[in-house]
Amino acid sequence: MSTALGRPDARAAVTFLGTDRIEVLRFQEGDIVRYATLGMSAHPMTDPTAMLADPVKGPRAELVLSVRAGLAETDKVLRPLAVLGASPQVEGVVVAPGASLDVGEPLWPGAPFSSVLVAEPGGLVEDLELGEPMDPVRFLPLLPMTPNEAAWKRVHGAQALQERWLTSGTDLRDPARRSVPLD
C-alpha cells in the first residue's frame, strides 16, 4: 500500500468489542485525500452460511476511499470507515466488488452519503500476494452513494449505476456532489 500511496500523514485506530483493531490511514497527494483501512485483512472473510470458518483460506481485503481535499470535513470519515472495515468480523459478511455497504449515518458531517459501492480492485493499489495457501489482499475502492443512488443500485445493479456515473461525467471524488440523474 505504501508503494502506491506513499507515507500516511495521519492514522487512527478503532477497536470494536470482540474484534481486532482496525486502523484507518490518511494519505494526501495534491488535492486528493485517500483513506485506507489496515487490519481488515488480518483474517480471511468467511461466507456467513459456511459451517466452519477456515482460519487461513478465503478472501482478504482492505478498503480505500478517495475524495477531493478541502471541500468537506472528510477526516471525520475515519470511524465510519473503520466500522466498514470491521463488518466482516462483526457481521460475518464477505465484502466484494458490487456490494453496497451502509453506515446508517453521513460518512462525514454534512455528507450526502451514508453508503458506498465497493468497486473493482487493481487500479490504484495492486493486490498484495501472501504466502500459500492464503489468498492475496485486495484493495477495494469505495465509491460514495447518495440514498437515491443506493436505492437505484438495489433495483438496477452496480454496473448500471457505474454506467450512469460515467455517462453523466460524475466526479465520484467530490465530497459534496449531488446524486446522478436517475430517471
Side-chain angles (χ1 to χ4, degrees):
M1 181 169 21
S2 62
T3 304
L5 301 177
R7 294 190 136 203
D9 58 12
R11 65 190 322 143
V14 178
T15 304
F16 301 97
L17 185 62
T19 67
D20 292 337
R21 173 180 158 137
I22 301 289
E23 288 188 68
V24 178
L25 309 178
R26 179 185 187 276
F27 303 86
Q28 184 161 355
E29 182 180 333
D31 72 335
I32 301 296
V33 179
R34 291 189 172 84
Y35 302 93
T37 61
L38 180 63
M40 181 178 163
S41 63
H43 304 284
M45 294 181 276
T46 304
D47 182 343
T49 62
M51 292 297 233
L52 292 172
D54 189 320
V56 178
K57 291 181 115 183
R60 295 173 189 262
E62 297 292 349
L63 307 174
V64 180
L65 173 69
S66 300
V67 293
R68 295 206 181 283
L71 301 177
E73 292 183 75
T74 57
D75 281 350
K76 306 279 177 141
V77 76
L78 300 175
R79 182 166 176 71
L81 196 53
V83 167
L84 297 177
S87 61
Q89 290 181 55
V90 174
E91 300 174 22
V93 297
V94 175
V95 177
S100 298
L101 302 174
D102 195 319
V103 294
E105 62 186 37
L107 292 174
W108 52 82
F113 321 105
S114 63
S115 63
V116 294
L117 174 65
V118 180
E120 291 290 334
L124 181 62
V125 183
E126 292 182 26
D127 291 352
L128 175 63
E129 296 296 328
L130 302 175
E132 287 291 330
M134 295 185 284
D135 288 10
V137 177
R138 301 175 83 196
F139 294 87
L140 303 172
L142 300 179
L143 308 174
M145 293 187 293
T146 66
N148 287 345
E149 291 169 341
W152 198 84
K153 182 252 177 201
R154 281 190 292 277
V155 173
H156 300 283
Q159 184 64 36
L161 178 59
Q162 289 176 310
E163 287 173 12
R164 279 287 167 131
W165 284 334
L166 187 60
T167 301
S168 297
T170 305
D171 180 1
L172 296 172
R173 294 177 179 170
D174 180 351
R177 73 171 178 83
R178 297 181 185 264
S179 183
V180 69
L182 298 170
D183 49 357

